[in-house]
Amino acid sequence: MKNSIFSVVDIETTGSDMSEDANRIIQFSCTFIKNNKITDSYNVYINPQMSIPSRITDLTGIDNDKVSTAVSFEDVAHKIYEMLNGTTFIAHNINFDLPFLNKEFARVGYKPLDVKGYDTVTLSQILMPTMESYRLRDLSNTLGIVHKHPHSSASDAFATAKIFILLSNYARKLPKSVISGILKIKPSLPMNTLDFFESYKDFEKSCNNNLCVKNGFYLQKVDNSFNNSRDKFDKCKKAYTDKVSQQDNSLESSISKNINRNPILIDADSVDYNKVLQPIIYGNKVVFSTNNIKLLQKQILQLNLPDNTVSLHSPSEYIDLYKFKSSLKYDSKSKKTKFIKCQVLVWLTVTKTGLLSEINANYNDIDYFKEISSNYANGNYYLKNFDRKLKKSNVVLISHDYLINNRDQLLETIGSKNYNLVINNATNFNATFLNNLSANFQFNYVFTLIRKFQSDLHQTHYTNLYDVFKNSKYISNIRVIDKGIKKINRNFEIVFTAFKKLFITKSSLIANKDGYKCIFSNRSLINFFNDYKATINEIEDLMSYVANKTFNVKSNSVIMNKFICNFMDLSEFIGKIRKIRKLLGEYENVFQCMLTVNKDKNIDNAIFEAKMISSSGLIKQKIYDNYKNVAFIDCDWLIASCYDYVYKQLELNGKRVKKMIFKNKFSGDNKFLVFKGYNDSGSKVKFINKLTEETDFKTFVLTDSTCSTEKYFLGLHDSELSDLYSIYARDITGNNYKILKKMSNHSRFVTIGNSRLEHMLSSENNADILIIDSISDYFKNNYLKENSVNVARYTLHLYNNIMHFINTNPNGTVIVWDDINSNINFSKFFQKYIPNFKTVNSYIEN
């Protein structure tokens, strides 16, 4: 690659689908690279001989005036063709830029470019597998590349060239075995991108002292010591406590004084987190439980504390090097699996944790991660001597799930009476606790898995397990596994047949809007499990026996690895039944079991749900009582009328609680309007049409249901608004991630969703107007008829969304539809919580 010339190209077009004849190039830019240095660039605006759509102007800044006097593509085609011919074509998503360019060449009579092509998106995903986003703008920000005008092709081409040079430098430093491993896997990459790695397979590498060899892999060395950070921590602590002791009336001082005494409720925004975290961390040893460990780690890193923080995860979240090595010996059929194998090879040279979730992929949805994850802590390179580091740590980070599910193990390891417990994302903690003491499963899932086992063992259209091991010492294991699976199947048929016969009759099914439900008597279920205890115990004994025979088979066979993954799913299924039996026995009075059946009454597809309906003091007993003191942190949750609800959810005695609010919640110039008289979806759609047409605002509509989301989307999509605005709807035009990506690229949009806004809106993806539809739907049947806990729950939900919106846009407007038929006075309701609002009767009045 030393003397190669690379042409890094980006184009802006009038559309995103090259199959549409109306789409044309409006800007072409190219940056040239030789010997890993940028040598030249070329940029030209092109007149598309058509009107540029407003959404393209919003995205690129290129309008009709800018291209009105520009050249046509035909005028510059010869020059562009000559420049690119003989180079290696580079683009960030090459499957868009090169075909689009060749289509334009074909339109003016040129043959397609005969060039090699590399894709920097794919190269970035392999060589930088832990990046949060691979959008050009996000990569540039993370890598410190100046990218002043995203979606201007000149700026995009220059940024892409810089990224390509960085990627080339990364590839130079990778061990030869990693490069050869990628080439051996042969992932399916765009155009000639795989040849990029071919260029570096014989490249002479400099010695990297940070790497070591384990199990045949080059790994980042892991040091589980703190390197005498204890002394540094004590010095920092003394300096901080001396400073805070002089601030008698500060909130930081209040936390320092109370962290070892009373439970603390803290209402703090992310910008205040350093003022919250420091007194907590320096106050005593602390266990942080959170919904988002990565985010909390970032916040703690910003404090520049000595290195004494440890994150705890279950062994199944770590890579098993032996399993990964075995998986490399077989050729995967899945393109996605091949791609992830390449990512893992590179990732092993940089990770210090071994946590598979670091890799940017759908960790929870990809079976291959399950295939290479660890079953136990012993022998895991990344967990070796980890307990020693844990015992010396001052700060332990865990997820809510880990805190609840690994309670005893955690207490045994750290001796938690020395620690304060801090619950981050506190409003979700009760729900997480109840969810972890609940389980659900689909009846026919176990038989689906068993059919897969039987197919792996006996299929005739492909190689089966008997074929694979017929001349192996493991053939006896396969026979035992086969017999064990058949016995497990028979026992499940006995249990489920008896269950359906005893509990599921026509008279027991209660109709609802989605189908039918059947609610069980806990005592009857306990008696049933007791009656079939021997059969269920035999299933569990058989599973242990078959597991032993299965995991003792050493094989690189694809079919055996697939069998193991399915077997782990079956173990998880049986674990759910074991969990339900145990919880029913322990918490009979606060446990509810029910069956949901679809409208065709197909019991095989029914879902059995077992839920804890109340924590009933269990959180305090099982969690809080094991710690020195407890603190709770969240944002926008301390509202006077909701205190009783918060105390109940967190199982606290309100008389002993210390409450602290760390922010001025209404520092912006927001407007709050309650609109009366908009009761049907048609008038609401007309309102949004008129509002957005006249104001040019970005708008978010917060709905209460998927049904409402669909009504808005269809109404707006069929209107003239769709020609001017991008219209997005959750689960209709994409998931949250895809919609966010699109929102960030457009200055005018209407987005409709029924999720919490913190998942959708940020300082980069904010909106000018938040419309809440309709607040009466949130309170219907709850506010008027049920107890105040429901009112508080919905109050917090709405208040949290409103506060998140105004924090992302201090000048934004909040609009609430008021149902004129409702018995609730929404003006008084909002006056309690939100100043500076008014009620209006129509759009004209505003």
Side-chain angles (χ1 to χ4, degrees):
M1 289 176 69
K2 189 173 182 181
N3 296 315
S4 299
I5 297 176
F6 300 97
S7 55
V8 185
V9 174
D10 190 83
I11 59 175
E12 301 301 336
T13 71
T14 57
S16 58
D17 183 358
M18 64 182 175
S19 65
E20 296 177 18
D21 290 337
N23 289 342
R24 294 286 185 270
I25 293 175
I26 54 177
Q27 187 183 15
F28 170 89
S29 298
C30 181
T31 299
F32 292 95
I33 299 173
K34 187 173 182 180
N35 296 333
N36 238 28
K37 292 181 180 177
I38 293 174
T39 58
D40 199 5
S41 62
Y42 174 76
N43 177 61
V44 62
Y45 286 105
I46 295 169
N47 189 330
Q49 299 176 332
M50 59 177 284
S51 179
I52 298 175
S54 58
R55 67 180 184 277
I56 300 300
T57 299
D58 290 340
L59 183 65
T60 65
I62 302 172
D63 56 22
N64 290 311
D65 289 341
K66 192 169 280 190
V67 299
S68 60
T69 58
V71 298
S72 69
F73 185 80
E74 192 169 2
D75 293 334
V76 292
H78 180 70
K79 183 174 182 179
I80 293 173
Y81 200 92
E82 274 194 344
M83 282 193 306
L84 299 180
N85 215 17
T87 68
T88 300
F89 191 99
I90 312 288
H92 203 69
N93 188 6
I94 196 169
N95 284 340
F96 173 81
D97 293 84
L98 186 55
F100 217 118
L101 193 57
N102 275 331
K103 182 172 181 268
E104 285 290 273
F105 279 132
R107 190 174 59 82
V108 296
Y110 283 82
K111 292 180 180 178
L113 280 165
D114 183 18
V115 291
K116 273 190 168 186
Y118 296 165
D119 177 43
T120 50
V121 174
T122 312
L123 288 174
S124 300
Q125 289 171 326
I126 292 176
L127 292 169
M128 298 184 289
T130 60
M131 288 287 176
E132 290 185 6
S133 167
Y134 294 98
R135 289 190 306 176
L136 187 58
R137 180 172 64 182
D138 296 335
L139 279 176
S140 299
N141 287 339
T142 305
L143 299 171
I145 293 170
V146 177
H147 190 195
K148 293 181 179 178
H149 304 291
H151 298 293
S152 158
S153 66
S155 183
D156 284 357
F158 181 80
T160 302
K162 285 283 191 181
I163 287 170
F164 181 73
I165 290 170
L166 278 175
L167 294 172
S168 299
N169 289 334
Y170 287 166
R172 280 188 176 90
K173 295 174 184 177
L174 284 176
K176 289 183 180 181
S177 63
V178 174
I179 298 291
S180 61
I182 292 171
L183 292 170
K184 191 174 180 180
I185 293 167
K186 293 182 182 176
S188 177
L189 306 182
M191 287 195 64
N192 311 98
T193 306
L194 188 59
D195 292 348
F196 171 90
F197 297 100
E198 191 75 39
S199 305
Y200 290 98
K201 70 176 182 180
D202 297 320
F203 200 90
E204 191 171 332
K205 313 290 181 182
S206 58
C207 181
N208 188 338
N209 294 325
N210 293 323
L211 297 180
C212 62
V213 179
K214 299 285 181 184
N215 253 33
F217 297 110
Y218 278 92
L219 312 178
Q220 187 75 207
K221 288 179 181 176
V222 176
D223 182 7
N224 280 320
S225 68
F226 277 129
N227 298 323
N228 301 317
S229 64
R230 181 78 222 177
D231 294 337
K232 294 179 185 177
F233 182 83
D234 289 340
K235 288 178 183 177
C236 292
K237 178 179 178 179
K238 186 177 186 310
Y240 179 80
T241 51
D242 289 346
K243 182 190 80 170
V244 171
S245 65
Q246 300 170 15
Q247 304 171 359
D248 291 337
N249 298 319
S250 73
L251 286 168
E252 288 180 79
S253 174
S254 183
I255 291 178
S256 294
K257 289 174 182 175
N258 286 279
I259 189 61
N260 295 313
R261 301 177 189 171
N262 301 321
I264 307 174
L265 299 182
I266 301 172
D267 192 335
D269 204 356
S270 57
V271 294
D272 304 309
Y273 254 45
N274 60 335
K275 294 179 182 178
V276 175
L277 295 175
Q278 278 185 298
I280 288 174
I281 290 170
Y282 288 129
N284 210 320
K285 288 188 170 186
V286 59
V287 171
F288 276 101
S289 180
T290 180
N291 274 351
N292 190 332
I293 289 183
K294 281 186 179 179
L295 179 60
L296 189 58
Q297 276 177 322
K298 282 183 183 177
Q299 290 163 337
I300 290 176
L301 281 172
Q302 289 170 2
L303 300 178
N304 295 316
L305 298 172
D307 180 23
N308 67 341
T309 302
V310 168
S311 297
L312 276 181
H313 303 264
S314 65
S316 62
E317 295 182 57
Y318 294 86
I319 187 170
D320 185 308
L321 294 176
Y322 175 81
K323 287 185 179 180
F324 179 56
K325 189 173 185 178
S326 297
S327 76
L328 292 178
K329 293 177 181 176
Y330 67 82
D331 184 19
S332 305
K333 305 289 183 190
S334 164
K335 291 181 181 180
K336 185 68 178 175
T337 298
K338 286 185 174 184
F339 193 82
I340 292 172
K341 285 180 179 180
C342 297
Q343 287 184 300
V344 174
L345 277 173
V346 176
W347 167 74
L348 286 173
T349 66
V350 295
T351 182
K352 292 186 177 181
T353 68
L355 288 164
L356 288 164
S357 55
E358 287 180 349
I359 298 171
N360 187 335
N362 296 325
Y363 170 67
N364 292 317
D365 299 326
I366 297 175
D367 285 339
Y368 180 66
F369 283 124
K370 192 186 299 180
E371 184 180 326
I372 62 173
S373 65
S374 192
N375 298 330
Y376 49 85
N378 295 336
N380 187 306
Y381 169 71
Y382 296 97
L383 292 175
K384 192 177 180 182
N385 302 321
F386 190 79
D387 286 354
R388 183 163 53 86
K389 182 175 181 178
L390 180 61
K391 287 175 181 176
K392 291 182 180 179
S393 67
N394 267 67
V395 181
V396 179
L397 305 182
I398 54 178
S399 66
H400 291 338
D401 289 334
Y402 190 98
L403 176 69
I404 296 161
N405 292 325
N406 298 278
R407 181 183 70 254
D408 296 336
Q409 178 189 338
L410 180 64
L411 301 181
E412 185 181 334
T413 307
I414 66 174
S416 57
K417 278 296 182 182
N418 299 319
Y419 285 78
N420 289 317
L421 174 64
V422 178
I423 307 289
N424 198 25
N425 315 116
T427 46
N428 297 323
F429 190 66
N430 182 276
T432 306
F433 184 85
L434 293 177
N435 188 55
N436 278 274
L437 293 179
S438 304
N440 65 76
F441 59 81
Q442 192 171 5
F443 265 85
N444 68 347
Y445 184 59
V446 65
F447 299 111
T448 300
L449 286 174
I450 288 172
R451 283 195 295 273
K452 288 181 180 180
F453 295 143
Q454 291 168 341
S455 175
D456 291 340
L457 287 159
H458 301 288
Q459 64 186 353
T460 55
H461 49 293
Y462 292 117
T463 304
N464 59 46
L465 288 175
Y466 277 102
D467 294 333
V468 171
F469 296 103
K470 63 183 176 183
N471 297 319
S472 165
K473 64 179 180 179
Y474 296 118
I475 190 64
S476 59
N477 291 52
I478 301 302
R479 293 192 186 103
V480 171
I481 291 168
D482 194 358
K483 288 179 182 177
I485 294 295
K486 286 174 182 174
K487 287 180 180 178
I488 290 169
N489 185 40
R490 282 198 297 271
N491 284 341
F492 266 119
E493 285 178 345
I494 291 168
V495 174
F496 282 167
T497 301
F499 182 88
K500 288 187 274 190
K501 186 176 180 180
L502 184 62
F503 291 105
I504 305 171
T505 61
K506 287 184 179 180
S507 60
S508 66
L509 295 177
I510 305 167
N512 59 25
K513 63 179 182 180
D514 298 317
Y516 299 87
K517 65 178 181 180
C518 175
I519 298 174
F520 302 110
S521 154
N522 288 354
R523 179 43 50 187
S524 298
L525 281 173
I526 291 170
N527 291 337
F528 173 80
F529 283 128
N530 286 336
D531 291 341
Y532 286 87
K533 183 177 179 179
T535 309
I536 295 171
N537 286 347
E538 187 180 353
I539 290 174
E540 294 186 350
D541 291 342
L542 283 166
M543 280 296 294
S544 297
Y545 185 61
V546 172
N548 180 264
K549 295 296 181 182
T550 300
F551 292 117
N552 278 333
V553 174
K554 306 300 181 189
S555 169
N556 302 320
S557 163
V558 177
I559 192 171
M560 189 64 200
N561 280 280
K562 188 176 71 159
F563 184 91
I564 289 171
C565 287
N566 288 330
F567 190 82
M568 290 166 68
D569 287 341
L570 181 61
S571 298
E572 184 181 337
F573 181 93
I574 291 171
K576 289 180 180 180
I577 296 176
R578 186 188 306 116
K579 182 178 181 180
I580 290 168
R581 291 169 64 200
K582 182 175 183 293
L583 293 172
L584 259 177
E586 291 181 9
Y587 312 117
E588 180 180 350
N589 295 330
V590 288
F591 214 66
Q592 183 182 76
C593 297
M594 64 181 291
L595 195 76
T596 57
V597 187
N598 52 21
K599 290 182 179 180
D600 64 2
K601 293 187 179 181
N602 185 347
I603 302 300
D604 290 336
N605 292 325
I607 296 174
F608 183 91
E609 298 176 85
K611 296 182 178 179
M612 287 286 286
I613 55 177
S614 169
S615 56
S616 301
L618 291 172
I619 298 179
K620 183 177 183 303
Q621 174 193 333
K622 292 185 174 293
I623 308 294
Y624 305 158
D625 288 350
N626 296 302
Y627 293 86
K628 193 170 184 179
N629 192 35
V630 190
F632 305 87
I633 309 175
D634 219 320
C635 58
D636 309 318
W637 65 311
L638 295 184
I639 305 172
S641 66
C642 297
Y643 285 162
D644 289 342
Y645 170 73
V646 171
Y647 298 151
K648 183 174 180 178
Q649 291 296 294
L650 296 176
E651 295 187 357
L652 298 174
N653 180 345
K655 294 178 181 178
R656 295 184 58 241
V657 170
K658 184 78 175 176
K659 298 180 290 295
M660 302 177 193
I661 298 178
F662 260 72
K663 58 187 173 183
N664 176 7
K665 296 191 176 188
F666 297 96
S667 56
D669 187 27
N670 301 94
K671 300 177 184 66
F672 301 91
L673 307 172
V674 179
F675 277 79
K676 293 182 176 294
Y678 290 91
N679 300 320
D680 64 278
S681 57
S683 60
K684 291 174 182 178
V685 168
K686 286 179 184 176
F687 176 94
I688 295 173
N689 263 302
K690 189 172 183 181
L691 179 72
T692 48
E693 207 172 15
E694 294 183 10
T695 60
D696 209 31
F697 284 157
K698 295 179 284 186
T699 304
F700 193 101
V701 183
L702 181 68
T703 61
D704 67 302
S705 67
T706 304
C707 181
S708 296
T709 301
E710 190 173 339
K711 283 181 181 178
Y712 270 106
F713 176 75
L714 293 175
L716 293 171
H717 194 267
D718 292 341
S719 68
E720 294 178 0
L721 188 69
S722 60
D723 295 331
L724 303 171
Y725 275 72
S726 300
I727 300 172
Y728 309 120
R730 186 186 176 200
D731 297 330
I732 296 174
T733 59
N735 58 23
N736 284 359
Y737 174 77
K738 288 183 178 178
I739 292 174
L740 275 173
K741 190 175 178 180
K742 293 174 182 176
M743 283 166 58
S744 65
N745 291 331
H746 290 85
S747 59
R748 290 187 290 182
F749 60 75
V750 177
T751 299
I752 311 148
N754 58 352
S755 60
R756 290 171 66 111
L757 288 190
E758 55 262 45
H759 298 306
M760 299 296 291
L761 297 180
S762 66
S763 55
E764 291 183 359
N765 296 306
N766 61 4
D768 304 302
I769 296 177
L770 169 66
I771 297 176
I772 298 175
D773 172 59
S774 160
I775 197 168
S776 61
D777 288 337
Y778 286 98
F779 289 89
K780 201 178 292 175
N781 302 323
N782 290 301
Y783 194 93
L784 300 174
K785 296 179 182 177
E786 297 184 16
N787 59 50
S788 61
V789 169
N790 288 317
V791 179
R793 176 159 59 96
Y794 287 111
T795 300
L796 282 179
H797 173 75
L798 289 171
Y799 189 76
N800 188 285
N801 279 303
I802 290 168
M803 292 308 303
H804 183 77
F805 170 76
I806 68 174
N807 285 333
T808 58
N809 190 340
N811 299 306
T813 299
V814 179
I815 294 174
V816 179
W817 303 130
D818 194 353
D819 186 348
I820 58 174
N821 298 316
S822 171
N823 295 323
I824 310 165
N825 187 325
F826 287 103
S827 298
K828 285 185 179 179
F829 173 80
F830 270 89
Q831 232 166 6
K832 285 183 182 179
Y833 309 113
I834 300 173
N836 187 30
F837 87 100
K838 70 180 207 176
T839 304
V840 294
N841 292 318
S842 70
Y843 177 71
I844 302 300
E845 194 171 319
N846 188 27

